[in-house]
Amino acid sequence: MTTARDLTFTAMDVSPSRPVEQGDLSLALAGAELIDLLTGEAVTLEDDLIVPGMRVATADRLLGQADEALVRERPHESVEDWLWRRGRGLASAYVAAFEKEGQLARQRHRWLPFREGRTELADSPDRHAAAQRWASREPVLVALAAAVGIGEKTTGDTSGVENADVETVLATVDDALLELEAVRQRRAIEKAAFDNVWRGE
């Protein structure tokens, strides 16, 4: 199991304080992948630049894709640039992978057995492992979840995280999410202003 997979399970399994935005989750998943590459010693950080090492051997297809997506020549990519590039549509990619693996199941209506209901997580060992990691309050998973609005821990709290490079990634995820929210607010204001002009107000 990877941190990104555990975060996806957590986002789908734990009732958040607010709905998790797909863009927010995608950025956090890109951060989770980078953290796994760091802890697996596939990359190191020089300041905020990602320096790839040996290619990682992993059975997880998406983490393997993350490793292949690293910029291996100089100048190396910054953590922030990685989050925005790798994070594009990443939440959908994880959901699609879960569907392919049978981690998601369509719930059938009680009275209409041939009609499919909404998609829910299947009861699987991977789901239980992620739930156990969440229940143990593992610091990295809790910090990433808090960044997207899941759990009680406040955004930016990295207590329990002992790796400075991991802290750098978590802080950059928080900054990227703030930037994304600012973009959303700016677009909302611009749309409201346009609507007012259209209505002649």
Side-chain angles (χ1 to χ4, degrees), residues 7 10-11 16-32 35 83 134 137-158 166-181 184:
L7 180 59
T10 302
S17 56
R18 56 180 171 80
V20 178
E21 296 280 354
Q22 289 290 299
D24 292 355
L25 183 57
S26 290
L27 286 170
L29 288 170
I35 287 169
L83 295 179
W134 174 253
R137 309 303 290 164
E138 194 278 319
V140 171
L141 181 60
V142 169
L144 287 166
V148 296
I150 303 169
E152 299 174 357
K153 196 169 184 177
T154 57
T155 300
D157 183 357
T158 59
V166 171
E167 286 186 335
T168 297
V169 174
L170 292 172
T172 309
V173 168
D174 289 337
D175 290 345
L177 290 169
L178 286 173
E179 184 179 342
L180 182 57
E181 182 57 29
R184 287 194 190 109

Side-chain angles (χ1 to χ4, degrees), residues 2 8 17 35-37 41 50 52 80 98 100 103 111 116 136 141 147 155 158 177 181 191 194:
T2 66
T8 304
S17 56
I35 287 169
D36 282 340
L37 292 172
E41 300 183 349
I50 304 167
E80 180 182 8
F98 277 21
K100 187 174 182 180
Q103 301 282 3
W111 305 114
E116 291 187 338
S136 71
L141 181 60
T155 300
T158 59
L177 290 169
E181 182 57 29
K191 183 180 183 302
F194 177 81

Side-chain angles (χ1 to χ4, degrees), residues 99-153:
E99 288 177 344
K100 187 174 182 180
E101 296 166 8
Q103 301 282 3
L104 297 176
R106 288 275 183 188
Q107 299 298 308
R108 297 197 176 275
H109 290 275
R110 181 178 295 175
W111 305 114
L112 300 169
F114 298 106
R115 184 174 177 188
E116 291 187 338
R118 63 193 180 97
T119 301
E120 293 185 355
L121 286 170
D123 191 24
S124 70
D126 286 353
R127 180 185 182 184
H128 287 291
Q132 187 173 19
R133 185 176 179 184
W134 174 253
S136 71
R137 309 303 290 164
E138 194 278 319
V140 171
L141 181 60
V142 169
L144 287 166
V148 296
I150 303 169
E152 299 174 357
K153 196 169 184 177

Side-chain angles (χ1 to χ4, degrees), residues 14-88:
V14 179
S15 297
S17 56
R18 56 180 171 80
V20 178
E21 296 280 354
Q22 289 290 299
D24 292 355
L25 183 57
S26 290
L27 286 170
L29 288 170
E33 289 182 338
L34 183 55
I35 287 169
D36 282 340
L37 292 172
L38 277 165
T39 56
E41 300 183 349
V43 300
T44 56
L45 293 188
E46 289 182 1
D47 295 323
D48 69 334
L49 298 179
I50 304 167
V51 181
M54 297 289 291
R55 288 195 179 275
V56 67
T58 177
D60 186 88
R61 183 177 60 83
L62 285 166
L63 186 60
Q65 288 178 358
D67 182 58
E68 291 173 3
L70 292 167
V71 176
R72 295 190 173 271
E73 63 276 356
R74 293 184 180 273
H76 294 301
E77 190 171 34
S78 70
V79 174
E80 180 182 8
D81 288 345
W82 162 265
L83 295 179
W84 290 107
R85 181 173 64 85
R86 175 63 184 164
R88 191 173 295 114

